[in-house]
Structures are given as C-alpha cells and as structure tokens.
Amino acid sequence: MSASTQPGTGPDSGMQPGGTQPGGGTGPGQERGSGSGAQPDLLYTDIEEDLRSTVRDVLADRCPPASLSARVEAAAEGAADGGPADGRSAEPSARASARPYDPALWRVLGADLGLAGLLVPEKLGGQGASAREAAVVLEELGAGVAPTPFLGSAVLATSALLACDTADAGVAALLGSLASGAATGALAVPLAAAPGSAFPGAVRADAAGRLTGTVTSVADALAADVLVVPAVGPDGPGLYEVAAGDAAVTPFVSLDLTRPLADVAFDGAAARPLPSADAAAALDAALLAGAGLLASEQLGLAQWCLDETVRYLGERHQFGRVVGGFQAIKHRLADLWLEVVSLRAAARSAADALATGTDAAIAVRVAQAYASGVAVHAAEEAVQLHGGIGMTWEHPLHLYLKRAKADQIAVGTAGRHRAALAPLLDLPAA
C-alpha cells in the first residue's frame, strides 16, 4: 500500500503527523499565521498534505466507490428485511447486517494510523494534533463518503471528554481507549443538535446514577462500544459514560446509508458520571467542534463531485463534441468551482479557529451557514451533469447527494447558524 511509503505515517508505524504539537498542529519551523490578532492560516502545511495523501491512499485501497455501493445496498436490504414497514429493526441479527461500517477500514484508520486519537493530547495516549489535521482527514472521508465513525467517535465524543476533567482517572482512561482505537464512542445527542442549544433533558439520571430515557437519531451509535450521554441528574446537567451494550440501540433506514442513525434508549442503564465543571459547556464545545469540522467533510464531498463531473464531461461525447466543451456547461462548472473555493476558505478558517481558539464561534457559524448549500448544489449538479448514469445505483453519486442532504441538518441547519451568528457580530435580527 502506497500509504506505507509516507515517512512515519504508514499503517504499520502508527500515525506520526510529523511532530504535530498539541493545540498547534504544526511541527517545528512551520510557523502559522493564526493566533491572537493574526489572520487565520488557510493554507495547508506539508504535514497536512502528507496526512491527506496517507488517508487518500488507504481509502483508495480499501474503500473504492464500487465496493461502497454494494456494502450500503446490502446494509439497507438487511435493515428492511429485519424490521417492520417503517424500516426499524430491533433484532440483533438484522441490526448487525444493517451496519454499513467497515471495521477493517476503521481499524486501519483509527488504530493503525492513529486517527482515532488525533485530537487527544499525547500525554493521554493520542496524537496531540489539532482541528486542522482532523479537518484534512474529514475532507478525505467526505470525498469518499467513507462509512467510518470518525465524526461520532474521534470528534464529537472525544471533544466532549476533552472538555471534562481530564485529570480524572476515569476520563483519562476512556480518552486513552478511544484514542488507541481499542474502543469506539458516540455522543448520544440527535444528529441535528446544534451548538448553543439548551441542554437536552430527554435522559434522566437517578440518585444511583442510572439513566432512563430515549435519544433519537444518534449518529455512529451502531459502531459505538461506549456512549457519552448528556443527562439531567439530581444535581443538574451532567455527562455520563454508558456501555453501549447496556442501552437499546435501534437502527432505522436513514437517508444517508453511509452514516446510519439509531435511536438509543436507556432503561435504568448503569452509568458513570464524567467529572466536569460545566457539563453544558462541555457538550456545547463538542457540538461546536463537530459543526466546524463537518464543514471540511462537506468541502471534500463538494470537491469530489466537481472533480468527478469535470472528468466525466471531458470524456463523454455528444453530437460529435466533448460534452464539457459546451459553453453552458462550462459556465455551470465555473460557478460551482467558485462556490467550492469559497467553501474551502470558510472551512479552513473554521478549522484554524478551532485549533487556535481565536473567534471559533464566529468562524464555525460562518462555515456552517455556507457549507451545506454548496455541498448539496455540488452533488445535485454532479447528478444532473452525469445524465442518466447519475440517477442509478450503479454510480455512487446518489451516496454523495444523500450524505450532502443529511449533512444539511447535521449539527445545526444553515439558518440556525446564521441566526446564532447575528448577535455574535452585533447584527440586528431580521
């Protein structure tokens, strides 16, 4: 595998992103423009490009579009066969067959390359990288609509834990387990939960720490070994660690088959409270990180749709001419290119802001206010410009369109982020 030729980033050696620094994401001698009073650095460092190359090679080897289509189609059929008419299923065998995740792919990415612990400091067993590197990974995962729980485990659940008291032995142990890839986590909130929302009250904790309640539409719960659950207890909001086996995880056929959703129910489930000075703030930090990094996934998806469409239109002939040579087609592609370039700037700004802590709330809101529209437009243009083949299951474009549509409501809609952005910039309400 060509990925193994990258110095220090091969699957056998573990991910060593070139000496990434905790919270900084760059190695010695690679200065960044970010920081207090500085402009965000929108460019990719050599280390980030090496990381991108490694992830791209792994995905090309282990997750080609043809195999992806077959996997999600089988998963959809398994879910439909194992449940009632609404597609839901509680049968363990059907649940297993309904999982489109590729455990072998996640093992290589999460454990061998160390991507599961990208955001975790080295002293806690992670790689000590930053949101900039995680953003690059998500660009590539978005470009491949890869069926991995990176967003749920390595971003959302990990970010929530990092906002807890990491000096606590239990929190540190759980972070180390997630960072090593020994366990996979999920943050038990609806996929549509946005930063700035009220602390969820769907799950209650009793005095003994047992949880009761249901959380709907949780992303990556099917692949999780452990759940980080926001719950309201006798002392107020808190975060709790629950073994996934102690909860009822019920999948259903979701629009995006490459990132399945599930309802998670707790019926007196044993839980361990995670020490945190402010659980609501910890949850909000996790959702903010998820929203900001999701923009990079949408960027990768949009860029792939544009690149693939340009390639296809450069090969297909009609009326004795290359289809891509028609002026009207060129205009549509040029407009889309401008949108993708603008999205890249917004997504990189959000990732850099999360890495440096400089105006992160504003940068993330700006990125998410723009990203979903571009990703959906890119996918729709790709489907249309591919003609009839774009409408079939034989071509993976439908997976990209479904991921783009699902991301449109994930971690807050564009309208919700615009509404939250206005007071941050002292703009009057519309």
Side-chain angles (χ1 to χ4, degrees), residues 1-6 9-12 52-68 71 102 104-106 108-109 113 140-141 143-144 146-147:
M1 183 168 60
S2 56
S4 63
T5 61
Q6 297 295 330
T9 57
D12 298 333
R52 176 197 307 284
S53 178
T54 301
V55 176
R56 182 174 295 180
D57 287 346
V58 170
L59 293 177
D61 286 346
R62 296 177 175 270
C63 190
S67 67
L68 181 60
R71 172 176 286 275
D102 185 342
L105 173 64
W106 178 234
V108 172
L109 292 173
L113 294 184
E140 294 307 309
L141 295 178

Short mmCIF file of all heavy atoms in Angstrom, two decimals, residues 1-6 9-12 52-68 71 102 104-106 108-109 113 140-141 143-144 146-147:
data_model
loop_
_atom_site.label_atom_id
_atom_site.label_comp_id
_atom_site.label_asym_id
_atom_site.label_seq_id
_atom_site.Cartn_x
_atom_site.Cartn_y
_atom_site.Cartn_z
N MET A 1 0.86 -1.19 0.00
CA MET A 1 0.00 0.00 0.00
C MET A 1 0.89 1.23 0.00
O MET A 1 1.82 1.36 0.77
CB MET A 1 -0.89 -0.02 1.24
CG MET A 1 -1.85 1.14 1.29
SD MET A 1 -3.08 0.85 2.58
CE MET A 1 -2.00 0.74 4.00
N SER A 2 0.56 2.13 -0.89
CA SER A 2 1.42 3.29 -1.03
C SER A 2 1.45 4.17 0.20
O SER A 2 2.40 4.90 0.42
CB SER A 2 0.96 4.10 -2.25
OG SER A 2 -0.41 4.46 -2.11
N ALA A 3 0.37 4.07 1.02
CA ALA A 3 0.36 4.90 2.22
C ALA A 3 1.54 4.60 3.12
O ALA A 3 2.06 5.47 3.81
CB ALA A 3 -0.94 4.69 2.99
N SER A 4 1.99 3.35 3.11
CA SER A 4 3.08 2.97 4.00
C SER A 4 4.40 3.59 3.59
O SER A 4 5.36 3.55 4.33
CB SER A 4 3.21 1.45 4.03
OG SER A 4 3.53 0.97 2.75
N THR A 5 4.44 4.18 2.39
CA THR A 5 5.68 4.81 1.97
C THR A 5 5.85 6.19 2.56
O THR A 5 6.91 6.77 2.46
CB THR A 5 5.70 4.94 0.43
OG1 THR A 5 4.60 5.77 0.03
CG2 THR A 5 5.57 3.58 -0.23
N GLN A 6 4.79 6.71 3.20
CA GLN A 6 4.92 8.03 3.80
C GLN A 6 5.70 7.90 5.10
O GLN A 6 5.33 7.15 5.99
CB GLN A 6 3.53 8.61 4.10
CG GLN A 6 2.71 8.83 2.85
CD GLN A 6 3.33 9.90 1.96
OE1 GLN A 6 3.98 10.81 2.44
NE2 GLN A 6 3.12 9.77 0.67
N THR A 9 4.03 7.72 8.68
CA THR A 9 2.57 7.74 8.63
C THR A 9 2.01 6.46 8.10
O THR A 9 0.85 6.38 7.77
CB THR A 9 2.08 8.90 7.75
OG1 THR A 9 2.64 8.77 6.44
CG2 THR A 9 2.48 10.23 8.33
N GLY A 10 2.82 5.42 7.98
CA GLY A 10 2.32 4.16 7.46
C GLY A 10 1.48 3.44 8.48
O GLY A 10 1.58 3.66 9.68
N PRO A 11 0.62 2.56 8.02
CA PRO A 11 -0.25 1.82 8.92
C PRO A 11 0.52 1.01 9.95
O PRO A 11 0.06 0.80 11.05
CB PRO A 11 -1.06 0.92 7.98
CG PRO A 11 -0.99 1.60 6.66
CD PRO A 11 0.32 2.27 6.62
N ASP A 12 1.69 0.55 9.57
CA ASP A 12 2.43 -0.30 10.49
C ASP A 12 3.16 0.49 11.56
O ASP A 12 3.55 -0.04 12.59
CB ASP A 12 3.46 -1.14 9.71
CG ASP A 12 2.77 -2.07 8.73
OD1 ASP A 12 1.61 -2.44 8.99
OD2 ASP A 12 3.37 -2.41 7.71
N ARG A 52 -3.06 13.96 4.33
CA ARG A 52 -4.10 13.79 3.32
C ARG A 52 -3.74 12.65 2.36
O ARG A 52 -4.59 11.81 2.04
CB ARG A 52 -4.27 15.08 2.53
CG ARG A 52 -5.29 14.95 1.37
CD ARG A 52 -5.14 16.07 0.35
NE ARG A 52 -5.17 17.38 0.96
CZ ARG A 52 -6.29 17.97 1.38
NH1 ARG A 52 -7.43 17.35 1.25
NH2 ARG A 52 -6.24 19.17 1.92
N SER A 53 -2.50 12.64 1.92
CA SER A 53 -2.06 11.62 0.97
C SER A 53 -2.20 10.22 1.57
O SER A 53 -2.63 9.27 0.90
CB SER A 53 -0.61 11.88 0.57
OG SER A 53 -0.15 10.88 -0.30
N THR A 54 -1.85 10.10 2.85
CA THR A 54 -1.93 8.80 3.51
C THR A 54 -3.38 8.32 3.60
O THR A 54 -3.70 7.17 3.25
CB THR A 54 -1.34 8.89 4.92
OG1 THR A 54 0.02 9.30 4.82
CG2 THR A 54 -1.41 7.56 5.63
N VAL A 55 -4.26 9.20 4.06
CA VAL A 55 -5.67 8.81 4.19
C VAL A 55 -6.27 8.51 2.82
O VAL A 55 -7.01 7.54 2.66
CB VAL A 55 -6.45 9.93 4.90
CG1 VAL A 55 -7.95 9.59 4.96
CG2 VAL A 55 -5.91 10.16 6.30
N ARG A 56 -5.93 9.32 1.83
CA ARG A 56 -6.47 9.11 0.48
C ARG A 56 -6.03 7.75 -0.08
O ARG A 56 -6.83 7.04 -0.70
CB ARG A 56 -6.02 10.24 -0.44
CG ARG A 56 -6.56 10.15 -1.85
CD ARG A 56 -6.18 11.37 -2.66
NE ARG A 56 -6.80 12.58 -2.14
CZ ARG A 56 -6.63 13.79 -2.68
NH1 ARG A 56 -5.85 13.94 -3.74
NH2 ARG A 56 -7.24 14.86 -2.16
N ASP A 57 -4.79 7.40 0.14
CA ASP A 57 -4.29 6.11 -0.36
C ASP A 57 -5.01 4.94 0.32
O ASP A 57 -5.36 3.95 -0.32
CB ASP A 57 -2.79 6.00 -0.13
CG ASP A 57 -2.00 6.88 -1.08
OD1 ASP A 57 -2.59 7.36 -2.07
OD2 ASP A 57 -0.80 7.09 -0.84
N VAL A 58 -5.21 5.06 1.62
CA VAL A 58 -5.90 3.98 2.34
C VAL A 58 -7.33 3.83 1.82
O VAL A 58 -7.81 2.71 1.57
CB VAL A 58 -5.91 4.27 3.86
CG1 VAL A 58 -6.84 3.29 4.57
CG2 VAL A 58 -4.51 4.17 4.42
N LEU A 59 -8.01 4.94 1.64
CA LEU A 59 -9.39 4.87 1.15
C LEU A 59 -9.45 4.32 -0.27
O LEU A 59 -10.36 3.56 -0.62
CB LEU A 59 -10.03 6.26 1.21
CG LEU A 59 -10.26 6.83 2.60
CD1 LEU A 59 -10.83 8.25 2.52
CD2 LEU A 59 -11.21 5.95 3.41
N ALA A 60 -8.48 4.69 -1.09
CA ALA A 60 -8.46 4.18 -2.46
C ALA A 60 -8.25 2.67 -2.48
O ALA A 60 -8.83 1.95 -3.31
CB ALA A 60 -7.36 4.86 -3.26
N ASP A 61 -7.44 2.17 -1.54
CA ASP A 61 -7.17 0.73 -1.49
C ASP A 61 -8.31 -0.05 -0.88
O ASP A 61 -8.62 -1.17 -1.30
CB ASP A 61 -5.90 0.48 -0.66
CG ASP A 61 -4.65 0.87 -1.41
OD1 ASP A 61 -4.74 1.08 -2.64
OD2 ASP A 61 -3.59 1.01 -0.77
N ARG A 62 -8.94 0.50 0.15
CA ARG A 62 -9.88 -0.28 0.96
C ARG A 62 -11.33 0.15 0.85
O ARG A 62 -12.20 -0.54 1.37
CB ARG A 62 -9.45 -0.20 2.45
CG ARG A 62 -8.10 -0.84 2.71
CD ARG A 62 -7.69 -0.67 4.16
NE ARG A 62 -6.45 -1.38 4.46
CZ ARG A 62 -6.41 -2.63 4.87
NH1 ARG A 62 -7.53 -3.28 5.09
NH2 ARG A 62 -5.25 -3.22 5.11
N CYS A 63 -11.61 1.28 0.22
CA CYS A 63 -12.99 1.74 0.17
C CYS A 63 -13.30 2.36 -1.19
O CYS A 63 -13.72 3.53 -1.27
CB CYS A 63 -13.23 2.75 1.30
SG CYS A 63 -14.96 3.20 1.54
N PRO A 64 -13.09 1.60 -2.29
CA PRO A 64 -13.42 2.15 -3.61
C PRO A 64 -14.93 2.32 -3.75
O PRO A 64 -15.70 1.62 -3.08
CB PRO A 64 -12.88 1.09 -4.58
CG PRO A 64 -12.89 -0.18 -3.78
CD PRO A 64 -12.59 0.23 -2.36
N PRO A 65 -15.38 3.24 -4.60
CA PRO A 65 -16.82 3.50 -4.73
C PRO A 65 -17.64 2.26 -5.06
O PRO A 65 -18.76 2.11 -4.57
CB PRO A 65 -16.87 4.53 -5.87
CG PRO A 65 -15.57 5.23 -5.80
CD PRO A 65 -14.58 4.17 -5.39
N ALA A 66 -17.11 1.36 -5.89
CA ALA A 66 -17.88 0.18 -6.27
C ALA A 66 -18.21 -0.68 -5.05
O ALA A 66 -19.35 -1.12 -4.87
CB ALA A 66 -17.12 -0.64 -7.30
N SER A 67 -17.24 -0.92 -4.20
CA SER A 67 -17.48 -1.74 -3.02
C SER A 67 -18.38 -1.01 -2.03
O SER A 67 -19.16 -1.63 -1.30
CB SER A 67 -16.16 -2.11 -2.35
OG SER A 67 -15.52 -0.95 -1.82
N LEU A 68 -18.27 0.31 -1.99
CA LEU A 68 -19.10 1.08 -1.08
C LEU A 68 -20.58 0.96 -1.44
O LEU A 68 -21.43 0.78 -0.56
CB LEU A 68 -18.67 2.55 -1.11
CG LEU A 68 -19.42 3.51 -0.18
CD1 LEU A 68 -19.25 3.08 1.27
CD2 LEU A 68 -18.90 4.93 -0.37
N ARG A 71 -21.85 -2.39 -0.36
CA ARG A 71 -21.95 -2.51 1.09
C ARG A 71 -23.21 -1.84 1.62
O ARG A 71 -23.95 -2.41 2.42
CB ARG A 71 -20.71 -1.92 1.75
CG ARG A 71 -20.78 -1.82 3.27
CD ARG A 71 -19.48 -1.31 3.83
NE ARG A 71 -18.46 -2.34 3.78
CZ ARG A 71 -18.30 -3.28 4.72
NH1 ARG A 71 -19.12 -3.30 5.77
NH2 ARG A 71 -17.38 -4.19 4.61
N ASP A 102 -17.30 -0.40 7.95
CA ASP A 102 -16.26 -1.35 7.58
C ASP A 102 -15.27 -1.42 8.74
O ASP A 102 -14.39 -0.56 8.87
CB ASP A 102 -15.57 -0.88 6.30
CG ASP A 102 -14.56 -1.88 5.79
OD1 ASP A 102 -14.14 -2.76 6.58
OD2 ASP A 102 -14.17 -1.78 4.62
N ALA A 104 -12.71 -3.24 9.32
CA ALA A 104 -11.31 -3.35 8.92
C ALA A 104 -10.76 -1.99 8.50
O ALA A 104 -9.62 -1.62 8.83
CB ALA A 104 -11.18 -4.35 7.77
N LEU A 105 -11.57 -1.23 7.76
CA LEU A 105 -11.15 0.12 7.36
C LEU A 105 -10.96 1.02 8.57
O LEU A 105 -9.96 1.74 8.67
CB LEU A 105 -12.20 0.72 6.42
CG LEU A 105 -11.99 2.19 6.03
CD1 LEU A 105 -10.71 2.36 5.24
CD2 LEU A 105 -13.19 2.72 5.24
N TRP A 106 -11.89 0.96 9.51
CA TRP A 106 -11.78 1.80 10.71
C TRP A 106 -10.58 1.39 11.56
O TRP A 106 -9.93 2.22 12.19
CB TRP A 106 -13.07 1.73 11.50
CG TRP A 106 -13.05 2.53 12.78
CD1 TRP A 106 -13.32 2.09 14.04
CD2 TRP A 106 -12.74 3.92 12.93
NE1 TRP A 106 -13.20 3.10 14.95
CE2 TRP A 106 -12.84 4.25 14.30
CE3 TRP A 106 -12.37 4.92 12.02
CZ2 TRP A 106 -12.58 5.52 14.78
CZ3 TRP A 106 -12.11 6.21 12.51
CH2 TRP A 106 -12.22 6.49 13.88
N VAL A 108 -7.73 0.25 10.44
CA VAL A 108 -6.53 0.82 9.80
C VAL A 108 -6.46 2.33 10.06
O VAL A 108 -5.42 2.86 10.47
CB VAL A 108 -6.55 0.54 8.29
CG1 VAL A 108 -5.42 1.30 7.60
CG2 VAL A 108 -6.40 -0.95 8.03
N LEU A 109 -7.59 3.01 9.84
CA LEU A 109 -7.59 4.46 10.01
C LEU A 109 -7.47 4.86 11.48
O LEU A 109 -6.65 5.70 11.85
CB LEU A 109 -8.87 5.06 9.43
CG LEU A 109 -9.04 4.98 7.91
CD1 LEU A 109 -10.43 5.46 7.51
CD2 LEU A 109 -7.98 5.81 7.19
N LEU A 113 -3.28 4.00 11.89
CA LEU A 113 -2.81 5.34 11.56
C LEU A 113 -2.96 6.31 12.73
O LEU A 113 -2.42 7.41 12.70
CB LEU A 113 -3.58 5.90 10.36
CG LEU A 113 -3.38 5.21 9.02
CD1 LEU A 113 -4.13 5.94 7.93
CD2 LEU A 113 -1.90 5.13 8.66
N GLU A 140 -11.02 14.13 3.32
CA GLU A 140 -10.84 12.88 2.56
C GLU A 140 -11.98 11.90 2.83
O GLU A 140 -12.42 11.20 1.92
CB GLU A 140 -9.49 12.25 2.92
CG GLU A 140 -8.30 13.09 2.46
CD GLU A 140 -8.40 13.42 0.98
OE1 GLU A 140 -8.59 12.51 0.16
OE2 GLU A 140 -8.29 14.63 0.64
N LEU A 141 -12.44 11.83 4.07
CA LEU A 141 -13.57 10.94 4.37
C LEU A 141 -14.83 11.41 3.66
O LEU A 141 -15.64 10.60 3.20
CB LEU A 141 -13.81 10.88 5.88
CG LEU A 141 -12.68 10.26 6.72
CD1 LEU A 141 -13.03 10.30 8.20
CD2 LEU A 141 -12.39 8.82 6.28
N ALA A 143 -14.79 13.07 0.79
CA ALA A 143 -14.58 12.79 -0.64
C ALA A 143 -14.87 11.33 -0.97
O ALA A 143 -15.16 11.00 -2.12
CB ALA A 143 -13.15 13.14 -1.03
N GLY A 144 -14.76 10.47 0.04
CA GLY A 144 -15.03 9.05 -0.20
C GLY A 144 -16.34 8.58 0.41
O GLY A 144 -16.63 7.39 0.36
N ALA A 146 -16.91 7.86 3.24
CA ALA A 146 -16.42 6.63 3.88
C ALA A 146 -17.30 6.25 5.07
O ALA A 146 -17.63 7.10 5.90
CB ALA A 146 -14.98 6.83 4.33
N PRO A 147 -17.66 4.98 5.17
CA PRO A 147 -18.51 4.53 6.29
C PRO A 147 -17.70 4.24 7.54
O PRO A 147 -17.50 3.09 7.95
CB PRO A 147 -19.16 3.26 5.73
CG PRO A 147 -18.12 2.71 4.79
CD PRO A 147 -17.41 3.90 4.21
#
